[in-house]
Amino acid sequence: MKIIMLGAPGAGKGTQAKKIAAKYQIPHISTGDIFRANIKNGTELGMKAKSYMDAGGLVPDEITIGMLLDRIHEEDCKNGYVLDGFPRTIPQAESLTKALGDMGEAIDYAVNVDVPDENIINRMSGRRACLSCGATYHIVYNPPKMEGICDVCGQHLVLRDDDKPETVKKRLDVYHDQTQPLIEYYKKAGVLAEVDGTLDMEEVFQAIVRILGA
Ligand code: AP5
Ligand code: ZN
């Protein structure tokens, strides 16, 4: 099963994508996580991506598309995957459609996690991330067992550089401008499914499972 997660920054795409990956035994591919891992390791790709990310903008399509297409051609993707944070622009979506079409394949579901802007700032300011293993928490809605420490790997949790309120505002603008049109794109393709992302995490997940099938 090939799934795309759509939704504003902080809508809960990553949270739900991890649960989907675990239940359906498919890899979770987050372009944001790939970029953050590259930044942490000081790679050339990471150095290119960092300035765009810190400013709340998008990493250019020339960098992002090739990276993602390479990833989905890896061996562990042959039974499907859940994409989180890609596509984010119409050219990215068109490249993906074409690459899959060339192999006689297509996306099965584009799940839009719908959360109004008012809720987003609150979610992002309370998010704490583990830059070692990619786990995410929320100080109120999903706190770690020990304050400031990752349950999974024991590393210290941080507020992401791009989760500061002024950067979040910019990311929301970019989302409305460049990413929201993908909802219409996947509606036309007949694969769009909408879920109410303001519900609690487990309720959102149950709504997604009803769409994808048990
Ligand atoms: P990326 O990492 O993809 O960030 P994003 O899309 O802005 O999404 P987030 O990770 O911020 O949020 P999310 O929707 O996954 O929410 P989460 O589950 O964590 O990208 C970062 C940057 O990389 C981009 O700005 C861009 O520069 C670059 N980039 C990445 N992909 C790119 C691409 N394709 N093209 C170009 N550039 C790209 O949840 C948020 C918080 O809310 C958490 O604390 C969580 O615990 C909490 N929460 C989640 N669900 C609920 C719920 N139901 N109720 C209460 N709290 C909840
Ligand atoms: Zn961790």
Side-chain angles (χ1 to χ4, degrees):
M1 188 153 47
K2 299 184 191 66
I3 304 162
I4 289 172
M5 303 304 291
L6 296 174
K13 302 180 297 294
T15 301
Q16 298 301 329
K18 289 187 186 99
K19 286 166 154 314
I20 293 169
K23 179 172 170 68
Y24 297 95
Q25 299 283 300
I26 49 177
H28 165 213
I29 302 177
S30 157
T31 40
D33 285 353
I34 298 174
F35 288 135
R36 281 185 289 278
N38 276 278
I39 291 172
K40 185 163 174 273
N41 295 328
T43 68
E44 201 185 323
L45 175 69
M47 283 188 294
K48 280 189 196 148
K50 187 174 180 359
S51 58
Y52 299 102
M53 291 173 72
D54 285 353
L58 295 182
V59 179
D61 285 344
E62 307 83 87
I63 299 175
T64 310
I65 291 171
M67 177 185 90
L68 189 279
L69 294 183
D70 285 349
R71 179 66 187 89
I72 63 171
H73 285 97
E74 285 175 25
E75 182 62 21
D76 64 334
C77 290
K78 65 179 192 307
N79 294 324
Y81 38 77
V82 51
L83 300 184
D84 162 18
F86 186 101
R88 238 186 174 86
T89 63
I90 292 284
Q92 290 182 13
E94 287 171 342
S95 304
L96 179 63
T97 302
K98 166 134 197 351
L100 291 176
D102 288 347
M103 297 185 291
E105 296 176 0
I107 289 296
D108 298 299
Y109 296 98
V111 178
N112 183 38
V113 183
D114 186 30
V115 177
D117 286 8
E118 302 85 83
N119 305 30
I120 296 289
I121 308 262
N122 171 26
R123 287 211 185 162
M124 310 280 245
S125 58
R127 172 164 57 186
R128 295 295 178 272
C130 175
L131 296 183
S132 285
C133 75
T136 50
Y137 303 86
H138 190 283
I139 50 176
V140 179
Y141 308 123
N142 180 26
K145 292 194 184 72
M146 221 197 299
E147 196 184 322
I149 303 292
C150 179
D151 292 349
V152 181
C153 72
Q155 295 295 309
H156 283 275
L157 301 175
V158 297
L159 179 71
R160 269 167 44 181
D161 282 341
D162 60 348
D163 277 351
K164 300 187 175 97
E166 58 289 4
T167 315
V168 170
K169 169 93 187 39
K170 166 82 171 121
R171 286 164 65 197
L172 276 171
D173 288 345
V174 170
Y175 167 75
H176 290 300
D177 188 39
Q178 305 216 45
T179 309
Q180 209 169 17
L182 296 180
I183 296 174
E184 200 50 41
Y185 179 93
Y186 286 107
K187 195 181 209 169
K188 281 198 185 123
V191 295
L192 182 72
E194 304 243 27
V195 294
D196 178 357
T198 64
L199 303 173
D200 78 37
M201 290 171 200
E202 198 45 44
E203 289 174 313
V204 178
F205 184 57
Q206 290 315 321
I208 293 175
V209 170
R210 282 195 292 276
I211 292 162
L212 304 182

mmCIF file of all heavy atoms in Angstrom, residues 1-23:
data_model
loop_
_atom_site.group_PDB
_atom_site.id
_atom_site.type_symbol
_atom_site.label_atom_id
_atom_site.label_comp_id
_atom_site.label_asym_id
_atom_site.label_seq_id
_atom_site.Cartn_x
_atom_site.Cartn_y
_atom_site.Cartn_z
ATOM 1 N N MET A 1 0.841 -1.187 0.000
ATOM 2 C CA MET A 1 0.000 0.000 0.000
ATOM 3 C C MET A 1 0.886 1.250 0.000
ATOM 4 O O MET A 1 1.810 1.342 0.791
ATOM 5 C CB MET A 1 -0.884 -0.025 1.254
ATOM 6 C CG MET A 1 -1.919 1.040 1.269
ATOM 7 S SD MET A 1 -3.386 0.579 2.244
ATOM 8 C CE MET A 1 -2.689 -0.069 3.764
ATOM 9 N N LYS A 2 0.566 2.166 -0.922
ATOM 10 C CA LYS A 2 1.356 3.406 -1.012
ATOM 11 C C LYS A 2 0.482 4.570 -0.553
ATOM 12 O O LYS A 2 -0.567 4.838 -1.130
ATOM 13 C CB LYS A 2 1.802 3.643 -2.455
ATOM 14 C CG LYS A 2 2.676 2.534 -2.987
ATOM 15 C CD LYS A 2 3.174 2.870 -4.376
ATOM 16 C CE LYS A 2 3.813 1.644 -4.998
ATOM 17 N NZ LYS A 2 2.804 0.552 -5.236
ATOM 18 N N ILE A 3 0.960 5.228 0.500
ATOM 19 C CA ILE A 3 0.141 6.245 1.159
ATOM 20 C C ILE A 3 0.915 7.553 1.227
ATOM 21 O O ILE A 3 2.122 7.553 1.484
ATOM 22 C CB ILE A 3 -0.197 5.790 2.597
ATOM 23 C CG1 ILE A 3 -0.884 4.422 2.568
ATOM 24 C CG2 ILE A 3 -1.062 6.816 3.318
ATOM 25 C CD1 ILE A 3 -0.863 3.715 3.904
ATOM 26 N N ILE A 4 0.190 8.656 1.007
ATOM 27 C CA ILE A 4 0.762 9.986 1.203
ATOM 28 C C ILE A 4 0.026 10.642 2.363
ATOM 29 O O ILE A 4 -1.204 10.564 2.437
ATOM 30 C CB ILE A 4 0.545 10.855 -0.065
ATOM 31 C CG1 ILE A 4 1.424 10.371 -1.195
ATOM 32 C CG2 ILE A 4 0.803 12.321 0.220
ATOM 33 C CD1 ILE A 4 1.102 11.072 -2.505
ATOM 34 N N MET A 5 0.765 11.296 3.246
ATOM 35 C CA MET A 5 0.141 12.091 4.299
ATOM 36 C C MET A 5 0.174 13.552 3.872
ATOM 37 O O MET A 5 1.240 14.102 3.603
ATOM 38 C CB MET A 5 0.916 11.959 5.614
ATOM 39 C CG MET A 5 1.086 10.555 6.132
ATOM 40 S SD MET A 5 -0.467 9.674 6.356
ATOM 41 C CE MET A 5 -1.159 10.584 7.740
ATOM 42 N N LEU A 6 -1.014 14.178 3.836
ATOM 43 C CA LEU A 6 -1.086 15.605 3.553
ATOM 44 C C LEU A 6 -1.529 16.325 4.821
ATOM 45 O O LEU A 6 -2.192 15.736 5.677
ATOM 46 C CB LEU A 6 -2.107 15.888 2.448
ATOM 47 C CG LEU A 6 -1.822 15.318 1.064
ATOM 48 C CD1 LEU A 6 -3.017 15.577 0.141
ATOM 49 C CD2 LEU A 6 -0.556 15.921 0.470
ATOM 50 N N GLY A 7 -1.199 17.608 4.907
ATOM 51 C CA GLY A 7 -1.645 18.378 6.065
ATOM 52 C C GLY A 7 -0.651 19.469 6.379
ATOM 53 O O GLY A 7 0.515 19.409 5.973
ATOM 54 N N ALA A 8 -1.115 20.472 7.120
ATOM 55 C CA ALA A 8 -0.273 21.612 7.482
ATOM 56 C C ALA A 8 0.886 21.143 8.360
ATOM 57 O O ALA A 8 0.833 20.064 8.938
ATOM 58 C CB ALA A 8 -1.121 22.636 8.235
ATOM 59 N N PRO A 9 1.932 21.979 8.491
ATOM 60 C CA PRO A 9 2.970 21.673 9.465
ATOM 61 C C PRO A 9 2.336 21.529 10.840
ATOM 62 O O PRO A 9 1.497 22.341 11.215
ATOM 63 C CB PRO A 9 3.894 22.905 9.419
ATOM 64 C CG PRO A 9 3.161 23.962 8.671
ATOM 65 C CD PRO A 9 2.167 23.259 7.809
ATOM 66 N N GLY A 10 2.683 20.476 11.548
ATOM 67 C CA GLY A 10 2.141 20.283 12.895
ATOM 68 C C GLY A 10 0.757 19.672 12.938
ATOM 69 O O GLY A 10 0.177 19.510 14.009
ATOM 70 N N ALA A 11 0.198 19.275 11.802
ATOM 71 C CA ALA A 11 -1.143 18.689 11.792
ATOM 72 C C ALA A 11 -1.154 17.288 12.410
ATOM 73 O O ALA A 11 -2.208 16.781 12.783
ATOM 74 C CB ALA A 11 -1.681 18.622 10.366
ATOM 75 N N GLY A 12 0.027 16.698 12.505
ATOM 76 C CA GLY A 12 0.099 15.337 13.063
ATOM 77 C C GLY A 12 0.427 14.293 12.006
ATOM 78 O O GLY A 12 0.213 13.098 12.226
ATOM 79 N N LYS A 13 0.990 14.710 10.877
ATOM 80 C CA LYS A 13 1.339 13.756 9.812
ATOM 81 C C LYS A 13 2.360 12.737 10.307
ATOM 82 O O LYS A 13 2.217 11.544 10.087
ATOM 83 C CB LYS A 13 1.944 14.486 8.593
ATOM 84 C CG LYS A 13 1.060 15.538 7.981
ATOM 85 C CD LYS A 13 1.741 16.197 6.783
ATOM 86 C CE LYS A 13 3.009 16.947 7.133
ATOM 87 N NZ LYS A 13 2.810 18.137 7.995
ATOM 88 N N GLY A 14 3.393 13.239 10.970
ATOM 89 C CA GLY A 14 4.455 12.356 11.456
ATOM 90 C C GLY A 14 3.934 11.380 12.501
ATOM 91 O O GLY A 14 4.231 10.183 12.451
ATOM 92 N N THR A 15 3.132 11.898 13.423
ATOM 93 C CA THR A 15 2.553 11.060 14.480
ATOM 94 C C THR A 15 1.755 9.912 13.866
ATOM 95 O O THR A 15 1.916 8.750 14.236
ATOM 96 C CB THR A 15 1.620 11.922 15.371
ATOM 97 O OG1 THR A 15 2.395 12.982 15.939
ATOM 98 C CG2 THR A 15 0.965 11.109 16.466
ATOM 99 N N GLN A 16 0.901 10.230 12.910
ATOM 100 C CA GLN A 16 0.050 9.202 12.293
ATOM 101 C C GLN A 16 0.853 8.301 11.358
ATOM 102 O O GLN A 16 0.609 7.093 11.298
ATOM 103 C CB GLN A 16 -1.128 9.852 11.547
ATOM 104 C CG GLN A 16 -2.056 10.654 12.438
ATOM 105 C CD GLN A 16 -2.683 9.838 13.566
ATOM 106 O OE1 GLN A 16 -2.912 8.625 13.413
ATOM 107 N NE2 GLN A 16 -2.931 10.466 14.701
ATOM 108 N N ALA A 17 1.811 8.866 10.646
ATOM 109 C CA ALA A 17 2.608 8.056 9.706
ATOM 110 C C ALA A 17 3.363 6.961 10.447
ATOM 111 O O ALA A 17 3.474 5.821 9.965
ATOM 112 C CB ALA A 17 3.582 8.945 8.930
ATOM 113 N N LYS A 18 3.873 7.280 11.635
ATOM 114 C CA LYS A 18 4.602 6.258 12.415
ATOM 115 C C LYS A 18 3.665 5.121 12.815
ATOM 116 O O LYS A 18 4.040 3.952 12.786
ATOM 117 C CB LYS A 18 5.215 6.887 13.672
ATOM 118 C CG LYS A 18 6.388 7.796 13.352
ATOM 119 C CD LYS A 18 7.084 8.276 14.623
ATOM 120 C CE LYS A 18 8.152 9.295 14.291
ATOM 121 N NZ LYS A 18 7.735 10.683 14.489
ATOM 122 N N LYS A 19 2.425 5.468 13.197
ATOM 123 C CA LYS A 19 1.463 4.436 13.597
ATOM 124 C C LYS A 19 1.062 3.578 12.389
ATOM 125 O O LYS A 19 0.919 2.360 12.494
ATOM 126 C CB LYS A 19 0.204 5.090 14.192
ATOM 127 C CG LYS A 19 0.392 5.670 15.596
ATOM 128 C CD LYS A 19 -0.809 6.555 15.881
ATOM 129 C CE LYS A 19 -1.208 6.760 17.299
ATOM 130 N NZ LYS A 19 -1.282 5.645 18.192
ATOM 131 N N ILE A 20 0.870 4.229 11.240
ATOM 132 C CA ILE A 20 0.506 3.499 10.019
ATOM 133 C C ILE A 20 1.634 2.529 9.653
ATOM 134 O O ILE A 20 1.403 1.364 9.335
ATOM 135 C CB ILE A 20 0.248 4.489 8.855
ATOM 136 C CG1 ILE A 20 -1.009 5.323 9.137
ATOM 137 C CG2 ILE A 20 0.120 3.747 7.524
ATOM 138 C CD1 ILE A 20 -1.198 6.511 8.178
ATOM 139 N N ALA A 21 2.871 3.031 9.702
ATOM 140 C CA ALA A 21 4.029 2.204 9.330
ATOM 141 C C ALA A 21 4.096 0.960 10.209
ATOM 142 O O ALA A 21 4.351 -0.150 9.727
ATOM 143 C CB ALA A 21 5.311 3.024 9.454
ATOM 144 N N ALA A 22 3.835 1.139 11.506
ATOM 145 C CA ALA A 22 3.909 0.004 12.429
ATOM 146 C C ALA A 22 2.774 -0.985 12.157
ATOM 147 O O ALA A 22 2.997 -2.195 12.098
ATOM 148 C CB ALA A 22 3.840 0.510 13.874
ATOM 149 N N LYS A 23 1.561 -0.485 11.942
ATOM 150 C CA LYS A 23 0.426 -1.391 11.759
ATOM 151 C C LYS A 23 0.491 -2.148 10.434
ATOM 152 O O LYS A 23 0.212 -3.335 10.384
ATOM 153 C CB LYS A 23 -0.897 -0.623 11.851
ATOM 154 C CG LYS A 23 -2.121 -1.514 11.640
ATOM 155 C CD LYS A 23 -3.416 -0.784 11.918
ATOM 156 C CE LYS A 23 -4.636 -1.571 11.483
ATOM 157 N NZ LYS A 23 -4.896 -2.774 12.257
#
